Structures are given as C-alpha cells and as structure tokens.
Amino acid sequence: MDIPWGSDIANRFITNVGLVTTHGTHGHNIMACEWTHHLSYKPALIGISLHPRHASHNHIKETKEFGIAITSIHQSVLSSLAGKDSGKKFNKIKIAEELGYKFFPAKNINVMMIENASVNLECKLHQEIPLGDHTLFVGEVIAASFSPEAKPLAYHAGKYWDMTSTLEKSSDELREKIKNLFEKYKK
C-alpha cells in the first residue's frame, strides 16, 4: 500500500524541519526536508530522505557532502520557501537573502549554512540507500554547532508548531509502580 503525502495517515507524523544545503551542478541550493533523522550517536549519523527529482539529490550524489540546519521557530518562512519549487530553476538562497535570512560558508564542506538555525550540521556521505520512491542519504557529521536560544520548529499536519509546553512525566509513585511491575514480569 501507499501512504500519500498529505493523507490523514501521513499527517499523523510529527517531525522537525531540516533544511538541506548542497552545492553542485545547480549552484548552492537549499531544500526543506521533513524526513531528517538523527540515526546514531557514535559516530554521529544523520539520515535525510530525498526524491531523485530534487537538485539536492543530484548534488549529494555528485559531491558526497551536504549541510543540514534544523530550523528554529523563527524560520518557518525560510522553511516554506526552501520547500517551494526546485533549485534547478530558482536560486532559493538568493531569495532567502532578499527576505533577510543570512548564510555563511561551512568550515569543512562546500555548502552554505544558515545563521540562527537551532542546529547546523556539516555531513560527509556515509551511505546511500534507495528506499521506495526516495533515497536515504546517511551523512556522518564532521562539524556541528547550535544556538541555545533557538527553539526547534516542529511540523505536523501541514502546519508549523512551536513546541513551548511540555506534558507532565509520570509521577514518582507511578514510576515506582512501573519499576516494580518490570521486576514482577522479568523473563
């Protein structure tokens, strides 16, 4: 079966918004990538899932490197423009700069990074895995920085969210009961 984009099932997922930055045949590019995931602590591995039609897909295959910015709550407009149309036809970084967003060159790879992102990661391609209609690019993080004051932006059901409130964790009493139940049902 398929789970189409925008369907009721697809809209149940909650993700962060990763902005993938690349450089290649189509120049410097930025694209929004909802499927950006932290895969491993040691070594630090990040996965991004891209459709082959994207300029960024071609750039990563060419250069074996990419940047990832986890957007902050103040970058929803940047996320929207990065997700609009193709870097094959438009210079989206120049468009973003015209709107006041700032970029800087990565230290170790030939891509632009995003000022005031929640997190910036410079990645070298570790593995490329074709999966269905997308390719999972696994990048090994070779440099990372974060802005402590920049809260990450969340994406759910086609909308951006500010994750400002938290739910209470289980009470100490309930956690103790769960601990005892684990002991009781130990295999």
Side-chain angles (χ1 to χ4, degrees):
M1 86 176 265
D2 296 339
I3 300 176
W5 184 85
S7 68
D8 290 339
I9 293 172
N11 282 340
R12 292 295 173 188
F13 289 87
I14 299 171
T15 63
N16 59 10
V17 180
L19 297 181
V20 177
T21 54
T22 59
H23 183 259
T25 302
H26 305 288
H28 284 285
N29 190 42
I30 182 172
M31 73 166 288
C33 182
E34 182 184 349
W35 296 339
T36 301
H37 305 284
H38 185 192
L39 303 174
S40 170
Y41 293 113
K42 286 184 171 183
L45 299 175
I46 306 296
I48 57 173
S49 190
L50 307 181
H51 194 280
R53 75 175 174 272
H54 295 298
S56 295
H57 186 283
N58 297 342
H59 288 177
I60 294 169
K61 288 181 81 61
E62 289 171 22
T63 65
K64 312 293 188 226
E65 61 187 25
F66 55 94
I68 299 170
I70 302 299
T71 53
S72 77
I73 58 173
H74 303 292
Q75 295 173 323
S76 61
V77 172
L78 179 59
S79 174
S80 291
L81 80 84
K84 182 173 174 49
D85 225 307
S86 174
K88 293 176 183 177
K89 298 190 298 185
F90 298 96
N91 186 332
K92 295 188 280 183
I93 288 182
K94 291 293 184 196
I95 294 168
E97 287 175 333
E98 288 276 335
L99 292 172
Y101 293 100
K102 294 182 183 347
F103 296 82
F104 61 93
K107 292 178 183 173
N108 302 290
I109 58 177
N110 185 22
V111 303
M112 301 303 289
M113 303 306 290
I114 301 165
E115 278 192 20
N116 301 315
S118 181
V119 172
N120 272 302
L121 307 166
E122 296 180 31
C123 299
K124 289 284 191 180
L125 185 61
H126 176 76
Q127 192 171 2
E128 177 182 330
I129 307 165
L131 294 172
D133 59 358
H134 281 62
T135 302
L136 175 64
F137 291 107
V138 178
E140 183 168 353
V141 178
I142 59 170
S145 63
F146 72 101
S147 300
E149 70 287 346
K151 294 180 184 175
L153 183 68
Y155 186 75
H156 169 66
K159 296 178 181 161
Y160 298 115
W161 299 82
D162 177 351
M163 305 297 284
T164 56
S165 64
T166 59
L167 299 175
E168 293 289 323
K169 280 191 166 185
S170 303
S171 67
D172 290 341
E173 181 181 305
L174 182 54
R175 285 196 302 258
E176 186 63 29
K177 181 176 182 176
I178 291 169
K179 178 182 167 187
N180 292 335
L181 286 171
F182 268 89
E183 282 301 314
K184 180 178 178 180
Y185 293 104
K186 192 175 191 177
K187 293 182 183 178

